[in-house]
Amino acid sequence: MVEQLDTTYAALAHPIRREILETLTEGPGRVTDLAKPFEVSLAAVSKHIRVLEEAHLVNRRTRGREHLLSIDVRPLSDARSWLDSYRAFWEGRLDALDRHLENGG
Amino acid sequence: MSERHDAADRVRLERLLPAPAEDVFAAWTDPDSMSRWLSPTGRAVVTADVRVGAGFRVLMIGEDTEIEHTGEYLAIDPPRHPLVHVAVHIHGASPQRGQRDPAPRR
C-alpha cells in the first residue's frame, strides 16, 4: 500500500499525466487522440502513458491496431483516502495547539 | 522548498489561533512547548533548529510505535509574522497504522 502511494504520487507529479487522466475521466480514449493537445511528440506522451500504466492508473486495451486507454480510479481514491486521513490527523494537531494556547502555551 | 512538490501530494491547512503572537511562535519553535501539543499521544521528543532552511524533528511516542515527523521552517519573522511558516514532511507510515517505513515521503 505504501509503495503504491509513492508510485501514484510520482505518476501524478507531471502536468501532462494529470491532463491525460483528466481527459480519461470523461471516458476511454485512443493514445493518438490523447496525445494531440500536447506540444511534445507522440513518443514523449507514450512515455507518460507508460508511467500511468505502471502506476495502475490507466488500463490499455488493444482493438486491432488501436490502443484504447481507460482510467482506473482505485489508486487515486486510495491516495485520496490517505490524504484525507492525514488531513484529519493534522486538524487534530491544530485542535491540540488551540487547547495548548488556551492553557497559556 | 514546497514549490517543487505538486499539489497532489500536499495537504494545506490554515487555522486562526486566538492567542498572542509570541505564544504561537513559541509553540512552533520551543521544543518544550512543541512536545506538549505535537504528539497525539502526549509523549514526544522534539528538537528544533530555528533558522530558515532548518527545521524541527518530533518523534511521537506511542505504546508500541514511534512516528517521526520533520518540519522545515520556510520563513521566520518575529514579532511581525506571528506564524512561522512550516512545511511538514512525514517519515514513517500513516498516522493510523504507525508502522515503520524507511523511505521518506512528502
Side-chain angles (χ1 to χ4, degrees):
Chain A
M1 162 74 165
V2 163
E3 294 74 27
Q4 177 61 47
L5 278 175
D6 288 338
T7 313
T8 302
Y9 285 128
L12 291 172
H14 194 289
I16 289 181
R17 295 198 285 266
R18 289 197 297 276
E19 205 170 318
I20 290 171
L21 284 175
E22 179 97 26
T23 308
L24 288 174
T25 57
E26 292 166 31
R30 297 184 303 180
V31 173
T32 43
D33 292 334
L34 291 166
K36 275 199 196 117
F38 303 112
E39 282 171 3
V40 299
S41 67
L42 177 59
V45 174
S46 295
K47 275 195 187 150
H48 286 299
I49 289 173
R50 169 61 26 101
V51 172
L52 290 171
E53 281 181 278
E54 278 163 15
H56 306 293
L57 283 164
V58 302
N59 300 309
R60 181 191 297 252
R61 214 175 69 224
T62 50
R63 200 167 61 185
R65 284 200 326 186
E66 268 182 6
H67 288 234
L68 206 64
L69 298 175
S70 56
I71 192 171
D72 186 345
V73 294
R74 281 168 305 176
L76 284 173
S77 70
D78 286 344
R80 180 85 242 153
S81 313
W82 188 85
L83 267 184
D84 287 344
S85 69
Y86 222 79
R87 171 178 291 278
F89 173 76
W90 277 99
E91 290 285 1
R93 296 301 86 231
L94 291 178
D95 290 343
L97 173 57
D98 205 334
R99 286 191 303 272
H100 169 81
L101 291 165
E102 237 177 88
N103 297 332
Chain B
M1 289 287 284
S2 45
E3 285 80 26
R4 66 170 180 259
H5 301 294
D6 293 309
D9 64 347
R10 272 190 299 170
V11 170
R12 185 192 165 96
L13 290 99
E14 285 181 20
R15 186 74 69 97
L16 184 61
L17 299 161
E22 315 83 67
D23 288 0
V24 179
F25 189 83
W28 281 103
T29 56
D30 171 49
D32 205 50
S33 191
M34 289 160 78
S35 66
R36 280 188 245 129
W37 68 270
L38 264 176
S39 173
T41 66
R43 287 169 62 206
V45 177
V46 181
T47 54
D49 181 354
V50 188
R51 289 177 300 163
V52 174
F56 63 85
R57 176 184 173 271
V58 50
L59 186 67
M60 303 177 186
I61 300 168
E63 286 274 317
D64 50 4
T65 63
E66 284 178 358
I67 303 175
E68 180 193 77
H69 285 67
T70 56
E72 183 187 344
Y73 295 118
L74 303 175
I76 297 174
D77 190 17
R80 241 179 352 228
H81 259 114
L83 287 173
V84 171
H85 201 175
V86 174
V88 180
H89 311 295
I90 306 110
H91 298 258
S94 91
Q96 289 147 339
R97 303 244 307 278
Q99 293 168 289
R100 276 246 178 239
D101 173 5
R105 179 168 50 246
R106 291 170 198 279

